């Protein structure tokens, strides 16, 4: 029972820490020109999609995408679609690449990029975002990738160890 609750609980903690981090370190009146967007839950979901299986990554992407939409946006579906599609696409790429630290970090950064482009594109399409592409790339995407890349490096070894144990447990059942 504990193993079934452990993974969603860890992703939920990452999800909660995203908003806490933004509130604590990036107040609305900051003088920084960059927009650092923590996507810690997405990084964990990408790891799940890479190391456990596509279905788990897709389901967690749907669940946490819906949670993001419900809590932080006015339109349901942008994050729901984007996080699930990103997890699926990343898991497909991971099938053809050897799962080591460098490949996982690269796939995590690519996955966060895909998510950010999906969200930016969908929000631009429906008129929520008016940010120009060059501004998005320099002031939001680049800092976001750096932040989430560091997070992926920090959690890689302990989290992959847990994911391998979960995967072994799934194989036994």
């Amino acid at each position: 029972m504990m193993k079934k609750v452990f993974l969603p609980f860890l992703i939920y903690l990452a999800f909660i820490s995203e908003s806490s981090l933004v509130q604590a370190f990036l107040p609305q009146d900051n003088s920084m020109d960059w927009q650092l967007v923590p996507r810690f839950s997405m990084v964990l979901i990408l790891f799940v999609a890479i190391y456990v299986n596509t279905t788990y990554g897709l389901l967690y992407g749907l669940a946490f995408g819906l949670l993001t939409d419900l809590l932080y946006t006015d339109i349901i579906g942008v994050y729901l679609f984007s996080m699930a599609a990103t997890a699926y696409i990343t898991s497909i790429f991971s099938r053809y690449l050897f799962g080591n630290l460098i490949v996982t970090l690269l796939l995590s950064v690519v996955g966060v990029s895909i998510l950010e482009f999906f969200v930016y594109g969908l929000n631009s399409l429906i008129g929520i975002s008016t940010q120009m592409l060059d501004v998005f790339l320099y002031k939001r995407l680049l800092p976001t990738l750096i932040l989430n890349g560091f997070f992926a490096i920090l959690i890689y070894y302990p989290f992959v160890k847990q994911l391998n144990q979960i995967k072994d447990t799934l194989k036994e059942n």
Side-chain angles (χ1 to χ4, degrees):
M1 176 64 180
M2 180 63 178
K3 290 188 181 213
K4 290 182 180 182
V5 177
F6 182 71
L7 188 56
F9 180 71
L10 277 179
I11 298 171
Y12 180 73
L13 284 178
F15 179 79
I16 295 300
S17 72
E18 292 171 2
S19 62
S20 301
L21 182 74
V22 169
Q23 289 177 0
F25 296 111
L26 301 171
Q28 291 292 68
D29 60 334
N30 71 29
S31 60
M32 290 179 20
D33 220 12
W34 287 2
Q35 297 173 345
L36 295 162
V37 182
R39 299 287 187 202
F40 302 154
S41 58
M42 187 73 238
V43 171
L44 295 183
I45 291 167
L46 293 173
F47 276 44
V48 169
I50 294 166
Y51 285 98
V52 178
N53 65 38
T54 303
T55 305
Y56 273 68
L58 187 61
L59 290 174
Y60 286 123
L62 286 169
F64 285 93
L66 178 62
L67 192 58
T68 302
D69 280 333
L70 291 172
L71 293 176
Y72 300 116
T73 68
D74 294 331
I75 298 176
I76 305 298
V78 172
Y79 282 94
L80 175 94
F81 166 77
S82 299
M83 289 179 79
T86 300
Y88 181 76
I89 291 166
T90 304
S91 74
I92 298 301
F93 284 144
S94 73
R95 291 180 190 172
Y96 302 105
L97 302 168
F98 179 71
N100 62 25
L101 172 66
I102 301 300
V103 170
T104 303
L105 294 177
L106 178 65
L107 285 174
S108 297
V109 169
V110 168
V112 171
S113 298
I114 292 169
L115 175 66
E116 289 296 316
F117 272 107
F118 271 145
V119 171
Y120 172 76
L122 289 171
N123 284 336
S124 295
L125 186 67
I126 56 180
I128 292 176
S129 175
T130 57
Q131 191 175 46
M132 297 302 295
L133 182 61
D134 61 333
V135 174
F136 165 75
L137 292 173
Y138 175 71
K139 291 186 178 182
R140 180 178 171 131
L141 184 63
L142 183 61
T144 296
L145 295 180
I146 292 168
L147 173 66
N148 289 288
F150 280 128
F151 175 75
I153 290 169
L154 287 174
I155 59 108
Y156 177 79
Y157 285 110
F159 194 59
V160 168
K161 183 178 177 183
Q162 291 298 318
L163 291 177
N164 285 330
Q165 289 176 355
I166 290 168
K167 188 174 184 177
D168 291 343
T169 303
L170 290 174
K171 285 181 182 178
E172 292 172 3
N173 294 334

